[in-house]
Amino acid sequence: MSLLDSGTEIITVYPQIRTTDPDGNPIVRTSDEGVQVSARIQPMSTSEDWDQGFQTEERYRMFIARSQDTIDIGIAGQVEWQGVRWEVDALPRLQTGSPRTRHNTYYLRRV
């Protein structure tokens, strides 16, 4: 079994949904309903802005277990992990080299 087939954390994913605004224009927004999935989350970076005080920006890399990675999280999606909301920081990075190494990498930033 690959590390890509399981996760060490249970997270709630709020995927993006396509809808219309009051004027009838199509928009993309975060869903109000979440889905629990298993994922691996790894730290990427932390930055501090000393000019603005002690604000930090944390970024994480997330891999959803492949059996559960059928949700279209999208760029407007959010993740709740350890009681904190995180936004998807970029489009997912698709790894399609072979069936054994296929996975999606998501980048998260604190909301």
Side-chain angles (χ1 to χ4, degrees):
M1 177 187 277
S2 170
L3 291 175
L4 300 171
D5 292 327
S6 64
T8 57
E9 304 280 343
I10 300 296
I11 62 170
T12 304
V13 173
Y14 297 89
Q16 74 177 11
I17 58 171
R18 297 178 197 289
T19 187
T20 56
D21 66 11
D23 295 327
N25 300 314
I27 60 169
V28 177
R29 68 172 185 85
T30 304
S31 173
D32 295 329
E33 296 182 25
V35 178
Q36 286 195 333
V37 296
S38 180
R40 290 187 180 277
I41 299 179
Q42 301 171 341
M44 274 181 50
S45 65
T46 300
S47 63
E48 297 182 8
D49 188 356
W50 293 101
D51 294 335
Q52 301 296 322
F54 293 102
Q55 297 177 351
T56 61
E57 180 180 83
E58 296 176 272
R59 295 187 68 220
Y60 285 85
R61 181 178 16 246
M62 177 181 71
F63 309 94
I64 295 178
R66 288 189 290 193
S67 63
Q68 300 174 344
D69 196 9
T70 57
I71 302 167
D72 179 20
I73 297 175
I75 194 71
Q78 293 185 356
V79 171
E80 186 172 318
W81 171 53
Q82 296 182 345
V84 177
R85 277 281 184 119
W86 301 82
E87 65 185 6
V88 176
D89 194 27
L91 291 173
R93 185 171 172 195
L94 310 175
Q95 306 290 334
T96 59
S98 74
R100 289 183 182 253
T101 60
R102 178 196 61 78
H103 67 281
N104 297 331
T105 305
Y106 300 91
Y107 301 99
L108 305 177
R109 181 176 58 199
R110 186 183 296 254
V111 173

